Amino acid sequence: MDVGDDNKPLLIKRYASRRLYNTETSDYVTLEDIAGFIRSGREVQIVDLKSGDDLTRQYLLQIIAEHESRGENVLPVNVLNDLVRAYTTQATSMVPQFLQTSFEMLREGQEKVMESMGGGMKMPGLEAMQAQQEAFMKAMTGGMAWPGSSSPAPEADADSGEGEDLDAIKRQLADLQDKLSKLK
């Protein structure tokens, strides 16, 4: 495999029998295998062999649902309720941007904590966690780019302590939550 292949999504084809076929290794894969590819930082694209429909979002949501049903609860019930409500309200247009901003803030906070812990040392599994967050965001937003999503959240003064940075992130998240609750 040449270096350019790593930038392309791994193509998974779904057969009529619902079996999933990895086109790179020419073998069948499970949802857990696909989750492993994503955790390792690989993008995936799942398409229906017959119709050519892109099924990636459906399968990413199924992976999340299976993790949640096994007790690996990442999403609190109130967040799940809010997501269900968002599909039936005017807030639908705001939810993807809110979620994407929240995950960007979380990622930035994690990076700041890691930098302060060891002079830039990386925590084992951080890249996998970031890949999971990005996969979740792509599933929730359909991979759409939202205004302002490429610009990072405003940072606290560089001279301030790490505790103040965390407080600033918490305030920003609370402000976003307030704005979202006002849309209901």
Side-chain angles (χ1 to χ4, degrees):
M1 173 171 37
D2 60 52
V3 176
D5 288 346
D6 287 340
N7 296 329
K8 294 189 318 189
L10 170 60
L11 180 61
I12 306 288
K13 293 183 179 179
R14 183 184 78 172
Y15 285 93
S17 64
R18 296 194 171 276
R19 291 191 73 185
L20 301 168
Y21 184 77
N22 181 337
T23 60
E24 283 185 4
T25 59
S26 301
D27 60 351
Y28 291 102
V29 293
T30 64
L31 283 179
E32 196 56 41
D33 293 331
I34 292 170
F37 299 144
I38 293 168
R39 282 187 205 102
S40 70
R42 187 73 192 267
E43 297 290 322
V44 298
Q45 180 181 19
I46 304 168
V47 297
D48 184 86
L49 181 65
K50 187 174 181 180
S51 68
D53 291 342
D54 189 338
L55 306 172
T56 308
R57 172 194 296 269
Q58 170 187 335
Y59 278 94
L60 292 177
L61 288 169
Q62 187 174 347
I63 290 169
I64 292 167
E66 286 191 9
H67 282 278
E68 288 287 320
S69 70
R70 289 193 302 242
E72 301 170 24
N73 301 327
V74 173
L75 301 169
V77 172
N78 61 338
V79 170
L80 294 170
N81 283 325
D82 288 341
L83 286 172
V84 170
R85 282 185 202 102
Y87 279 95
T88 59
T89 67
Q90 294 292 334
T92 304
S93 62
M94 179 70 174
V95 171
Q97 184 178 3
F98 171 77
L99 289 172
Q100 188 159 356
T101 302
S102 297
F103 272 96
E104 286 173 1
M105 289 171 46
L106 176 63
R107 226 179 346 267
E108 289 171 9
Q110 289 170 336
E111 290 169 3
K112 285 181 182 180
V113 168
M114 292 303 108
E115 288 172 11
S116 69
M117 284 177 58
M121 236 175 44
K122 291 287 184 183
M123 182 172 97
L126 181 61
E127 290 83 11
M129 189 178 345
Q130 290 172 336
Q132 285 177 316
Q133 291 170 347
E134 292 199 17
F136 174 76
M137 289 313 302
K138 285 182 182 178
M140 295 305 297
T141 64
M144 298 174 70
W146 293 93
S149 64
S150 61
S151 63
E155 294 185 18
D157 187 342
D159 294 332
S160 64
E162 286 82 20
E164 290 176 13
D165 289 343
L166 183 57
D167 290 340
I169 291 170
K170 287 179 181 178
R171 280 193 304 275
Q172 290 172 350
L173 183 56
D175 290 343
L176 288 170
Q177 288 172 332
D178 287 342
K179 288 177 185 177
L180 182 61
S181 66
K182 289 177 185 175
L183 291 173
K184 291 182 187 174

